[in-house]
Amino acid sequence: PDELVERMLRMAQTTPNDFVIDLGSGDGRTVIAAAKKFGATAQGIEYNPDMVTLSQRNAQREGVAAKATFAKADLFESDFSKATVITMYLLPSINAKLKPKILGLKPGTRIVSHAFDMEDWTPDQMDQVEGRRAMLWIVPARVNGVWRARFGDGADRDLSITQRYQALEGTIRFGKVTAGLRDPRISGDRISFSYMDEAGNPVTASGRVTGDSMEGTLRTASGQETRWTAR
């Protein structure tokens, strides 16, 4: 339904700056809605050539043919790395095969699926329209492993992170002391966590992940801020 299509695009916070790709675009309604109602540039990937032709006619009729385009292509052979938003209504078996490719997209890419999930990858958000389920995932940066972090005081610390999609656990080691990370989070390329320092005071860290490096801000309980980096 059109209401569900619009809800999915709103869940993804679609804007005119986005490039939306609809996987298995059918009659083109999601692509057309992204262009017409949200001002996005949008593309549909559809294997059935008759549906591609129908979609193109529909886009022309709605006056968005310049921003809503369609390609006859195989999902597994298509490049959708330029997408900032991906929408889909595909069978679970296809979602499972696409999941590794989707997880390799740029951190922060928003994925919205109607009805079918991504196996053990828990959605970041779920919603319903008249009993029809929509799910949102945000592709997380890869942070699993051991990082050498340098804080504003010039001291090095070992930051160990275990990652399962957007769920994180970990520890931070300074000297002979190892503290557990509290409420570690990753959303796209944004990471945050807190811990207790050597004196038992809470410290909150937030930052951005870029490939094999991180950088951001540390805030102490007294409100003092310093910079931190990690590789």
Side-chain angles (χ1 to χ4, degrees), residues 56-86:
Q56 291 168 336
R57 288 202 304 265
N58 290 343
Q60 189 73 40
R61 186 181 67 248
E62 295 294 331
V64 292
K67 299 195 74 172
T69 60
F70 300 89
K72 191 277 178 189
D74 186 323
L75 295 180
F76 300 102
E77 297 177 0
S78 299
D79 177 12
F80 37 86
S81 60
K82 293 182 180 179
T84 56
V85 174
I86 287 180

Side-chain angles (χ1 to χ4, degrees), residues 103 106-109 121-124 137-144 147 159 161-169 181-194 205-211 213-215 228:
L103 284 165
K106 182 179 178 180
T109 304
W121 184 9
T122 304
D124 290 281
W137 296 263
I138 300 173
V139 176
R142 298 181 181 183
V143 295
N144 190 73
W147 298 74
L159 180 63
I161 299 175
T162 301
Q163 178 178 19
R164 184 172 179 80
Y165 307 116
Q166 72 272 47
L168 305 181
E169 294 181 347
L181 299 185
R182 299 184 174 189
D183 197 25
R185 297 173 181 265
I186 185 80
S187 179
D189 64 354
R190 299 287 186 170
I191 189 169
S192 62
F193 55 87
S194 61
S206 60
R208 171 170 284 174
V209 183
T210 305
S213 65
M214 303 184 203
E215 62 176 327
W228 69 282

Side-chain angles (χ1 to χ4, degrees), residues 42-194:
Q43 181 184 46
I45 299 176
E46 171 59 50
Y47 194 72
N48 185 331
D50 294 333
M51 297 303 286
V52 172
T53 300
L54 174 62
S55 299
Q56 291 168 336
R57 288 202 304 265
N58 290 343
Q60 189 73 40
R61 186 181 67 248
E62 295 294 331
V64 292
K67 299 195 74 172
T69 60
F70 300 89
K72 191 277 178 189
D74 186 323
L75 295 180
F76 300 102
E77 297 177 0
S78 299
D79 177 12
F80 37 86
S81 60
K82 293 182 180 179
T84 56
V85 174
I86 287 180
T87 58
M88 54 193 192
Y89 178 23
L90 302 170
L91 293 173
S93 59
I94 299 178
N95 285 2
K97 291 179 182 178
L98 286 172
K99 187 171 69 171
K101 189 172 183 178
I102 288 172
L103 284 165
L105 295 174
K106 182 179 178 180
T109 304
R110 288 94 76 199
I111 316 297
V112 193
S113 173
H114 167 43
F116 301 117
D117 59 24
M118 298 273 238
E119 297 182 311
D120 59 344
W121 184 9
T122 304
D124 290 281
Q125 181 184 344
M126 293 182 62
D127 207 344
Q128 288 194 356
V129 175
E130 297 181 356
R132 297 174 183 267
R133 185 172 61 161
M135 291 154 284
L136 168 73
W137 296 263
I138 300 173
V139 176
R142 298 181 181 183
V143 295
N144 190 73
V146 179
W147 298 74
R148 175 55 56 87
R150 175 161 292 183
F151 292 172
D153 58 9
D156 288 340
R157 293 162 171 82
D158 286 333
L159 180 63
S160 298
I161 299 175
T162 301
Q163 178 178 19
R164 184 172 179 80
Y165 307 116
Q166 72 272 47
L168 305 181
E169 294 181 347
T171 60
I172 186 166
R173 185 171 183 272
F174 30 88
K176 296 182 179 180
V177 178
T178 300
L181 299 185
R182 299 184 174 189
D183 197 25
R185 297 173 181 265
I186 185 80
S187 179
D189 64 354
R190 299 287 186 170
I191 189 169
S192 62
F193 55 87
S194 61

